[in-house]
Amino acid sequence: MNWGVYEALLTGVNKFSTEFGRVWLSIVFIFRILVYAVTASRVWGDDQKDFDCNTRQPGCSNVCYDQYFPVSHIRLWALQLIMVTCPSLLVVMHVAYRESREKKRKEMMGENCGKLYQDIGKKRGGLWWTYLISLLVKAVVDSVFIYVFYRLYENFFLPRIVKCTLPPCPNTVDCFISRPSEKNIFTLFMIISSAVCILLNLIEATYLIGKKCKETMLSTGQPTKSKKDSDCCQAHGCKQSKCERTIFISEDINTSSTKADQNKHTNNAA
């Protein structure tokens, strides 16, 4: 296992993740990748060697093992971990694309040119959609693999004895799985870890959507002063700051004229 790849992934994704995303990445790295790397090969290392059947018929044990274990647990988990961490790379790649655009813009227009993005790592626009899609893809990947384990291994649990009738077995033979209790505990731990990761992905997606809706509602309810200033600038061909000064001066003139009229009416009444 190349730990440098996972370390780079952990560091890169953490920069652009929310609090829920950091928790998800910690669970994946500690409770899934490390546990898999340290214990999975030891728990399942002797599964085929110690898969014994009560017959001496050549080939019977191999056929029965292949029937009950079409894909090894450790290979399925390795594929699952690879596929569930790949969507996080989409966010890092999108940020790298933004950085590349900013660099090319500075090379073409100089260091004093305006920025394309106020904050390259801020989840706005296309990066927001990339992050949201990565969350949904990760949740779908984990859900699919949980379903695959459920279908292949009879509700996730391994029995102590497997009955096999496939040729070249002479009749119905009993085959015994090595350390089924230990493997069931380990399988349950990995399934629960996957379920927790799915829950965190859905919570984070809900958080992002709710935050986006709140920001949209607040921006819709803001006063239209900026729109008036923009209209003024378009009408007079001036800069924004000049338009603001013009509006403030006109407001002061109107206020002064109103106060003068009030004083005039007061003197006439006296």
Side-chain angles (χ1 to χ4, degrees):
M1 173 175 286
N2 190 350
W3 294 105
V5 175
Y6 289 106
E7 183 181 359
L9 175 64
L10 181 66
T11 304
V13 175
N14 257 339
K15 293 180 181 178
F16 316 112
S17 299
T18 63
E19 290 77 7
F20 298 105
R22 294 185 180 97
V23 174
W24 175 88
L25 199 57
S26 300
I27 291 176
V28 170
F29 191 77
I30 297 174
F31 293 99
R32 296 177 67 177
I33 294 177
L34 287 181
V35 171
Y36 168 82
V38 173
T39 62
S41 59
R42 297 180 181 179
V43 174
W44 268 269
D46 59 350
D47 54 348
Q48 186 173 5
K49 182 180 66 174
D50 294 339
F51 186 82
D52 295 328
C53 298
N54 57 355
T55 180
R56 293 183 179 273
Q57 180 67 32
C60 181
S61 297
N62 292 335
V63 171
C64 294
Y65 178 84
D66 183 69
Q67 180 192 21
Y68 198 79
F69 293 97
V71 183
S72 175
H73 283 68
I74 55 175
R75 290 177 178 84
L76 270 179
W77 278 321
L79 183 61
Q80 180 182 6
L81 290 172
I82 292 172
M83 294 186 66
V84 83
T85 52
C86 281
S88 298
L89 292 175
L90 294 176
V91 180
V92 180
M93 292 171 63
H94 197 142
V95 175
Y97 169 74
R98 284 186 168 189
E99 292 175 348
S100 177
R101 290 192 64 189
E102 286 285 4
K103 184 178 179 180
K104 290 181 180 179
R105 180 181 175 85
K106 288 182 179 180
E107 291 176 354
M108 293 177 60
M109 303 181 65
E111 293 290 337
N112 296 326
C113 66
K115 293 184 177 181
L116 290 174
Y117 310 100
Q118 294 298 327
D119 187 353
I120 293 178
K122 196 171 184 63
K123 290 180 281 296
R124 291 290 185 273
L127 185 59
W128 185 88
W129 284 104
T130 301
Y131 195 88
L132 181 63
I133 291 173
S134 69
L135 293 176
L136 299 178
V137 171
K138 288 186 287 189
V140 170
V141 168
D142 273 333
S143 301
V144 169
F145 274 93
I146 288 178
Y147 178 75
V148 169
F149 275 103
Y150 176 80
R151 296 292 296 178
L152 287 180
Y153 300 111
E154 298 181 2
N155 304 333
F156 309 122
F157 293 102
L158 301 177
R160 296 179 182 275
I161 300 176
V162 179
K163 295 187 178 296
C164 180
T165 59
L166 295 177
C169 298
N171 48 33
T172 301
V173 298
D174 294 332
C175 298
F176 304 92
I177 298 176
S178 171
R179 296 184 294 177
S181 299
E182 183 179 3
K183 293 177 180 178
N184 286 333
I185 293 173
F186 190 85
T187 302
L188 186 62
F189 176 83
M190 295 296 284
I191 294 298
I192 292 175
S193 300
S194 300
V196 172
C197 290
I198 294 173
L199 182 62
L200 285 173
N201 287 327
L202 296 179
I203 291 175
E204 188 176 8
T206 305
Y207 168 77
L208 287 177
I209 295 173
K211 185 178 179 181
K212 188 70 173 180
C213 293
K214 183 178 179 180
E215 291 176 354
T216 303
M217 293 175 63
L218 290 175
S219 62
T220 304
Q222 288 180 352
T224 58
K225 179 180 180 300
S226 60
K227 184 176 184 303
K228 292 180 180 179
D229 295 349
S230 178
D231 295 340
C232 168
C233 289
Q234 292 179 0
H236 295 85
C238 60
K239 294 182 179 180
Q240 188 75 11
S241 58
K242 184 177 179 181
C243 288
E244 291 176 356
R245 291 196 297 270
T246 305
I247 293 173
F248 293 151
I249 293 172
S250 62
E251 289 178 352
D252 293 338
I253 293 173
N254 292 334
T255 304
S256 301
S257 61
T258 303
K259 289 182 178 179
D261 293 339
Q262 291 178 353
N263 293 332
K264 183 178 180 181
H265 287 303
T266 303
N267 293 331
N268 293 333

